[in-house]
Amino acid sequence: MLSLIASLTFPIMRLACGLAYTSLLTVLAQVGAAQGLWRAGRAQGLRALWKGNLTACLRLGPYSALQLAAYRRFVVLFTDDLGHISQWHAIMAGSLAGMVATIATYPTDVIKTRLIVQNRLEPSYKGILHAFYTIYHQEGFLALYRGVSSTVLGTIPFSAGSLFVYINLDKIWREPSSHFTPLQNFINGCLAAGVAQTLSFPFETVKRKMQAQSPYLPNYGGVDVHFTGMIDCFRQTVKHRGVLGLWSGLTASLLKVVPYFSIMFSTFEFCKRVCLYRNGYIESPLSYKLTPGVDQSLQPQELQELKLLRRGNLEPRKLQAKETHS
């Protein structure tokens, strides 16, 4: 059920939050086709700011469902005999789940990039299906996975950045994580997403260049450098645009990624508190104050059975007290 909700919610969130224009600006800056939102708008028109957004929305549904399903599997794999999982293992589970979902839906990401970089006046692709068909028949099946190696390698600094932030949250706020407010959780999500995205962004840039470059597109897809593979793409980008060229489009990317992941993180934390409250572990969903007299090591089903057992023991005592008074 959670996977189904996510698969329906995330595309709606993308449309509602208007994240499409930042995606277009990021991709164009990464491949070197344009710099600046207004410049991109003048060159291709206002409607062009939403190029590839439908593909991204269609991708988010199966991506989110696969990610959550895989995450649950990895959490079970990394959980110890006592039912506990460390922060490192939780982040690893999230990274591996994201990797599985990315690889499974990667062709749609390639198509999104191609739709964005193509010339609006002389488009090479008429739509999503035509782009898929054309890429497959002109360049082969592996072209739909061009740049996936850079994506996989990018999960390493992304996970390291997330872990670095999370293990230092107690020091940043000078209080235990159990006392964090919803606002603090929102800020924590912003910090984690900002650091992780910044560290992994060079791999994202190389991935976009590899996705966009094609001998079948005008000007090789508008990519500013020509290369023969991932390592050569790093080398040519640094040679022609400098080291900072690997971070082209970072600002636009952060405008999308930071609020997106911070909302997801704070929503997840609040939902977790609601579940703990409904199962009787905490007194209120607005705080982590533990319910007095509740064994926190018990599973939810065990806790419910204990409540029923205690309730059953109390009812005979009430009947006996009534009979005594009567």
Side-chain angles (χ1 to χ4, degrees):
M1 179 61 70
L2 186 59
S3 301
L4 177 60
I5 294 174
S7 65
L8 295 175
T9 302
F10 292 165
I12 296 174
M13 181 189 298
R14 180 184 177 90
L15 289 169
C17 294
L19 301 177
Y21 71 96
T22 55
S23 295
L24 177 131
L25 176 59
T26 302
V27 172
L28 292 180
Q30 286 175 324
V31 302
Q35 295 179 352
L37 177 60
W38 296 114
R39 182 176 177 180
R42 288 196 304 267
Q44 302 193 39
L46 185 61
R47 291 182 59 186
L49 297 178
W50 274 263
K51 286 198 305 183
N53 189 48
L54 178 60
T55 310
C57 291
L58 294 176
R59 176 177 178 266
L60 272 178
Y63 178 91
S64 303
L66 285 170
Q67 184 183 34
L68 288 173
Y71 178 73
R72 293 176 64 182
R73 294 290 184 181
F74 285 120
V75 165
V76 172
L77 182 63
F78 291 141
T79 301
D80 58 25
D81 296 334
L82 299 177
H84 299 148
I85 183 171
S86 64
Q87 278 188 328
W88 168 246
H89 282 148
I91 292 176
M92 280 296 298
S95 300
L96 291 173
M99 194 182 303
V100 170
T102 297
I103 293 174
T105 60
Y106 193 80
T108 59
D109 197 36
V110 174
I111 292 172
K112 167 195 165 185
T113 301
R114 293 290 184 90
L115 292 174
I116 287 177
V117 300
Q118 71 174 348
N119 192 330
R120 184 180 67 88
L121 300 178
E122 299 177 0
S124 302
Y125 311 111
K126 299 176 182 179
I128 298 173
L129 295 179
H130 182 256
F132 183 88
Y133 176 85
T134 304
I135 294 172
Y136 176 77
H137 282 274
Q138 287 184 344
E139 305 174 49
F141 176 77
L142 292 180
L144 294 170
Y145 281 89
R146 191 172 293 158
V148 70
S149 56
S150 180
T151 302
V152 173
L153 291 175
T155 60
I156 298 175
F158 192 92
S159 301
S162 300
L163 179 64
F164 174 78
V165 172
Y166 284 126
I167 63 178
N168 289 285
L169 287 178
D170 295 352
K171 299 178 183 178
I172 295 174
W173 294 108
R174 297 181 180 179
E175 60 179 341
S177 58
S178 59
H179 295 164
F180 290 165
T181 64
L183 178 59
Q184 286 175 307
N185 285 325
F186 180 84
I187 297 174
N188 293 340
C190 291
L191 290 174
V195 172
Q197 183 71 0
T198 302
L199 292 177
S200 63
F201 199 75
F203 295 92
E204 178 85 7
T205 299
V206 170
K207 177 193 77 172
R208 292 299 179 191
K209 291 181 186 293
M210 295 180 70
Q211 288 178 337
Q213 180 175 270
S214 172
Y216 296 93
L217 293 177
N219 300 320
Y220 276 76
V223 182
D224 56 350
V225 294
H226 298 292
F227 47 87
T228 57
M230 183 184 69
I231 297 177
D232 189 44
C233 184
F234 273 104
R235 186 186 300 114
Q236 295 299 329
T237 301
V238 174
K239 179 181 178 180
H240 290 87
R241 302 191 62 185
V243 176
L244 293 180
L246 295 171
W247 278 271
S248 295
L250 176 62
T251 302
S253 179
L254 291 178
L255 290 175
K256 177 188 72 172
V257 171
V258 169
Y260 183 82
F261 280 97
S262 59
I263 290 174
M264 286 180 59
F265 178 76
S266 56
T267 302
F268 171 78
E269 288 295 323
F270 181 74
C271 291
K272 185 169 68 174
R273 292 188 183 190
V274 171
C275 291
L276 291 172
Y277 170 71
R278 294 190 62 182
N279 286 308
Y281 291 102
I282 59 177
E283 292 186 342
S284 170
L286 300 178
S287 69
Y288 269 127
K289 188 176 182 180
L290 303 179
T291 303
V294 173
D295 187 353
Q296 300 292 324
S297 64
L298 293 177
Q299 296 294 327
Q301 185 176 357
E302 295 174 335
L303 187 60
Q304 294 299 325
E305 292 176 353
L306 181 60
K307 288 181 178 180
L308 292 175
L309 181 62
R310 289 177 177 176
R311 190 178 301 171
N313 291 334
L314 287 175
E315 288 180 356
R317 292 180 183 177
K318 290 181 180 180
L319 291 175
Q320 291 178 0
K322 288 182 180 180
E323 292 177 356
T324 302
H325 286 295
S326 59

